[in-house]
Amino acid sequence: MKKSLFLFLAFCFLFLQANAQEVQLHYDLGHTLYSDLAARPNVTTTVEMFKTDKWGSTFLFTDVDYYGDGAAGAYWEIAREFKLGKTSPFAAHVEYNGGATTLEDTQIGTRFQHAFLAGGAWNWATKDYNTTFSLQAMYKYYFSGQNRGGFNGFQTTAVWGTNFFNKKLTFKGFCDVWYDKDVNGKLIVVSEPQLWFNVNALKGCEDIHLSLGTEVEISNNFVFNTRGESNHFYAIPTLAAKWTF
């Protein structure tokens, strides 16, 4: 398992670094704010890419969590959209996500089942692309896993981004809501709004593509605590930095 995980991480880093637009570093404050998240990893790196072409767009990211002595787990998503007409705001959307993580000193491990999604998206942007918004509605299939069988569901996703204060500040993020038959209320909610101060917007710093800011992971029925439970609400901030290529 460990060998497979590290091979997976190596592949992701080699692939993403060749195409990446952002690399983020987050110091997670969950272990400080919540006693039942004491085993939560302190550091997360995110490598993110978004690229458009004449057929549509590709988006992918990989999160890797770390303890002091090494990687604790990884999660990744890749999504492809195909435009439905040259000027139409609608697109066909297909996606895969999955990963695995472990809580230190508890022997609690979580392996995210393969999830395959397909559906539609509505995309909007201002003429200068300073503000963007996407709304997605998808059929979701969980592949049969070790602890439970495969099942069908749905997921809705909202993604947004906007720059303001002469592009010195960026507010971006997403909100996912999806069906899961094994959680309270049958719904999982995850949102990660981010606020960034962009150093390259300052006079004389145009070549410094560094941003400093924060992310807040807002979740219900998603984050596992030290007791192996995920049926709780958490709002977990980070201190963050990113480099944009």
Side-chain angles (χ1 to χ4, degrees):
M1 173 64 182
K2 288 184 177 180
K3 182 178 180 181
S4 298
L5 175 61
F6 284 112
L7 288 174
F8 168 76
L9 296 179
F11 169 80
C12 288
F13 274 118
L14 288 173
F15 178 78
L16 291 174
Q17 285 179 345
N19 300 278
Q21 291 183 333
E22 286 185 8
V23 176
Q24 303 176 13
L25 176 66
H26 294 267
Y27 181 74
D28 191 291
L29 299 175
H31 64 287
T32 302
L33 297 177
Y34 299 96
S35 59
D36 59 353
L37 297 182
R40 184 177 170 88
N42 297 341
V43 175
T44 299
T45 56
T46 299
V47 184
E48 182 178 303
M49 184 201 81
F50 177 76
K51 185 176 182 181
T52 60
D53 54 50
K54 65 180 181 179
W55 297 289
S57 64
T58 302
F59 172 77
L60 55 84
F61 78 89
T62 295
D63 282 344
V64 182
D65 298 322
Y66 304 90
Y67 292 122
D69 59 352
Y75 175 83
W76 83 301
E77 293 186 2
I78 180 167
R80 175 68 197 183
E81 289 193 355
F82 299 92
K83 294 188 292 186
L84 301 178
K86 290 184 178 181
T87 60
S88 173
F90 296 99
H93 183 105
V94 292
E95 182 177 330
Y96 166 83
N97 52 67
T101 187
T102 301
L103 297 181
E104 191 175 45
D105 300 328
T106 65
Q107 303 302 312
I108 297 173
T110 300
R111 189 183 69 184
F112 297 101
Q113 289 175 252
H114 298 307
F116 301 93
L117 302 92
W122 177 79
N123 301 310
W124 175 86
T126 55
K127 290 184 178 180
D128 59 359
Y129 288 92
N130 191 65
T131 299
T132 60
F133 181 78
S134 177
L135 186 62
Q136 302 156 14
M138 296 166 285
Y139 162 85
K140 187 171 188 176
Y141 177 72
Y142 284 99
F143 195 80
S144 181
Q146 186 176 24
N147 299 319
R148 57 180 183 171
F151 64 93
N152 304 313
F154 69 89
Q155 178 172 313
T156 60
T157 297
V159 183
W160 67 88
T162 186
N163 300 303
F164 55 100
F165 195 38
N166 295 323
K167 296 190 176 181
K168 292 182 176 66
L169 294 177
T170 298
F171 178 60
K172 60 180 290 189
F174 72 88
C175 181
D176 288 337
V177 180
W178 72 90
Y179 170 85
D180 190 307
K181 64 184 179 68
D182 294 328
V183 303
N184 291 344
K186 309 298 183 184
L187 290 177
I188 294 177
V189 180
V190 179
S191 183
E192 294 185 358
Q194 298 179 342
L195 181 64
W196 298 100
F197 174 75
N198 304 310
V199 175
N200 67 344
L202 299 175
K203 186 176 181 180
C205 299
E206 292 81 4
D207 294 330
I208 303 175
H209 300 290
L210 175 69
S211 299
L212 303 173
T214 185
E215 173 186 278
V216 181
E217 180 178 355
I218 303 167
S219 68
N220 191 55
N221 289 332
F222 182 71
V223 173
F224 279 84
N225 58 31
T226 53
R227 299 182 297 275
E229 302 168 342
S230 63
N231 59 334
H232 294 277
F233 172 86
Y234 295 101
I236 305 167
T238 72
L239 299 176
K242 73 172 179 177
W243 189 270
T244 302
F245 293 90

